[in-house]
Amino acid sequence: MNQLYRTIGRKLLFGLDAERAHGLSIAGLKSGVPLCPPPVADVWLRVDIAGLSFPNPLGMAAGYDKNAEVPDALLKLGFGFAEVGTVTPKPQAGNPKPRIFRLVEDEAIVNRLGFNNEGHAAALAKLRDRKGGGIVGVNIGANKDSADRVGDYVLGVERFRDVASYLTVNISSPNTPGLRDLQARASLEELLGAVAAARGDRATPIFLKIAPDLGDADLEDIAETVAANGIDGIIVSNTTLSRDGLTSRLAQESGGVSGRPLFARSTIMLARMRRLVGPHLPLIGVGGVDTAEAALEKIRAGADLVQVYTGMVYAGPTLPGEILRGMGRFAAAQGLATLSDIRDSRTNHWAGQTV
C-alpha cells in the first residue's frame, strides 16, 4: 500500500496545490473508506503518562486536523492519539495563499498558514458529537488581532477542558506575529498561571508546545516555569525558522519548516529539555519522524510520546502502521517491558550536540 501511494497516490496529490491536496486528504478520511490495514495492537507499545493510558506512543500532530473534522478517522489509521487544532476563539482566515510549499528534495514543508480555523464554536460542536473513544487532544491558540492573548488561551481551556483528553497551549508558531514572545519568562509566567487556574478542578492535562529555535537560557526558563505552574508536559517542538542544509528552490519562502530537516534540531532540543526537567515530566517529541528508527531515536532522547505530520505527506496513510510495527519488533527483539527502557542510554548524546 505504501509503495502504491509513493508511485501513484503521491504523484497525483503532488500535482495539486499543497493546500488543496490537504483538503482532499481530509475528505478521504471523512468518507470512511479504509485506507490501510487495521491498527497495530501491541502490549509493548502502551504508554501511561499524565493520567492517560495511550495504546501506543505515536500521535498525529496538530496542524493537520485544524477543525476537529477527522480525529476518529486518524485513530483508525493506528495512531495512539490525535491532536486537533490549532483552534482560536474566533474564526480566522489565516495568511494569504499560497501558504504551504513542498520542499520535495528535502522531504520537508514550509507553511505560513497563520492559525486558519473555524473557531472554538465549530470545533467544540464536532468534538461533542464524537461517538468513539480514544485520546484526542485540543491545541489552543490566540487570534492574530486579539487584544488579550492570554485571555484567548484561558477561553480555550475553559471551553475545551470537558471534551479534550488533554490541552496543548501553542505559543510556538512562527506565523502569528509576536506569538513566540510568550515564551519569554515573564510572559510565560503570566500565561501558564492563568491557564492552570482556568482548568479549575478538572484533571485535564495541559501541555506546552515550544519552538526549536530557543537557546539554553530560554529552555531553562521554560522548564522552571512549567514546574512552578503545574503544567503536565512539554511538546518539543513546532516548526523552525532555520534554513540550514535545505536544497529546494522553495526553501526561502517565509514560514516554518517541518519534516526531515527538523529532526536533528528538534531532537537536540528534546534531549536538553529532558535533562532540565528530570525523568518524570512527560515530553512529546515532534519533528522529522518518518520511520520507526526516527521515532525510537526521539524516545532515546527523552520522549514519552512521538508525533508525526509531514512524514505522512511523503509516505502516505500507511505510515503509522509501519512505524508501530517497526517499534514493536524492536521492543520484542530487545526484550523491553516498555519503550521508555531505551531512553537513558543516549539522552546525553543528543543533549551534547549543537544546532
Side-chain angles (χ1 to χ4, degrees), residues 13-44:
L13 286 174
F14 280 25
L16 302 174
D17 167 80
E19 194 158 352
R20 185 181 176 197
H22 176 266
L24 285 176
S25 72
I26 293 283
L29 286 172
K30 290 173 76 172
S31 74
V33 175
L35 298 174
C36 60
V40 175
D42 195 324
V43 66
W44 284 292

Side-chain angles (χ1 to χ4, degrees), residues 181-351:
D181 294 344
L182 290 172
Q183 295 173 124
R185 184 160 192 150
S187 299
L188 191 61
E189 287 274 10
E190 178 187 3
L191 173 65
L192 296 187
V195 299
R199 174 168 49 182
D201 58 1
R202 299 292 301 179
T204 311
I206 296 176
F207 300 147
L208 176 70
K209 187 167 186 173
I210 65 172
D213 306 317
L214 298 167
D216 288 344
D218 300 315
L219 294 178
E220 290 171 9
D221 286 347
I222 289 169
E224 291 174 5
T225 307
V226 162
N229 288 280
I231 301 304
D232 299 278
I234 303 173
I235 300 180
V236 188
S237 66
N238 213 316
T239 58
T240 181
L241 293 173
S242 171
R243 297 299 190 268
D244 291 348
L246 298 180
T247 61
S248 170
R249 64 180 179 84
L250 295 173
Q252 296 311 311
E253 290 286 349
S254 64
V257 175
S258 61
R260 189 168 288 180
L262 178 58
F263 179 80
R265 174 179 290 270
S266 61
T267 307
I268 291 167
M269 293 293 116
L270 170 69
R272 290 178 179 171
M273 186 57 76
R274 174 54 72 196
R275 179 180 286 178
L276 289 168
V277 301
H280 302 302
L281 186 80
L283 297 182
I284 301 176
V286 196
V289 175
D290 54 9
T291 63
E293 291 74 18
L296 290 166
E297 204 64 17
K298 291 284 188 188
I299 295 171
R300 288 190 183 99
D304 297 285
L305 304 171
V306 176
Q307 289 179 319
V308 305
Y309 177 3
T310 301
M312 289 265 292
V313 173
Y314 288 95
T318 61
L319 181 63
E322 292 169 7
I323 290 176
L324 293 171
R325 283 188 288 274
M327 295 174 80
R329 287 192 296 269
F330 175 85
Q334 298 295 316
L336 301 178
T338 68
L339 283 174
S340 64
D341 291 344
I342 70 172
R343 177 189 296 165
D344 294 337
S345 63
R346 291 189 58 184
T347 297
N348 290 336
H349 161 76
W350 282 104

Side-chain angles (χ1 to χ4, degrees), residues 92-252:
Q92 63 182 24
N95 293 320
K97 298 178 182 181
R99 52 195 181 179
I100 308 177
F101 305 89
R102 303 183 191 94
L103 312 186
V104 177
E105 299 87 349
D106 302 301
E107 294 213 17
I109 285 176
V110 171
N111 94 78
R112 51 172 181 260
L113 287 161
F115 286 174
N116 57 308
N117 74 105
E118 297 172 358
H120 282 181
L124 188 59
K126 294 184 182 76
L127 290 169
R128 283 177 172 161
D129 285 342
R130 285 185 66 216
K131 300 297 190 292
I135 296 175
V136 175
V138 178
N139 185 298
I140 55 175
N143 282 112
K144 180 178 180 179
D145 60 356
S146 175
D148 180 9
R149 286 185 170 171
V150 171
D152 281 9
Y153 287 99
V154 167
L155 278 174
V157 172
E158 291 174 343
R159 288 174 175 168
F160 291 100
R161 64 189 178 188
D162 294 330
V163 297
S165 303
Y166 67 87
L167 295 161
T168 297
V169 175
N170 183 3
I171 56 172
S172 51
S173 169
N175 301 316
T176 297
L179 189 74
R180 286 189 170 187
D181 294 344
L182 290 172
Q183 295 173 124
R185 184 160 192 150
S187 299
L188 191 61
E189 287 274 10
E190 178 187 3
L191 173 65
L192 296 187
V195 299
R199 174 168 49 182
D201 58 1
R202 299 292 301 179
T204 311
I206 296 176
F207 300 147
L208 176 70
K209 187 167 186 173
I210 65 172
D213 306 317
L214 298 167
D216 288 344
D218 300 315
L219 294 178
E220 290 171 9
D221 286 347
I222 289 169
E224 291 174 5
T225 307
V226 162
N229 288 280
I231 301 304
D232 299 278
I234 303 173
I235 300 180
V236 188
S237 66
N238 213 316
T239 58
T240 181
L241 293 173
S242 171
R243 297 299 190 268
D244 291 348
L246 298 180
T247 61
S248 170
R249 64 180 179 84
L250 295 173
Q252 296 311 311

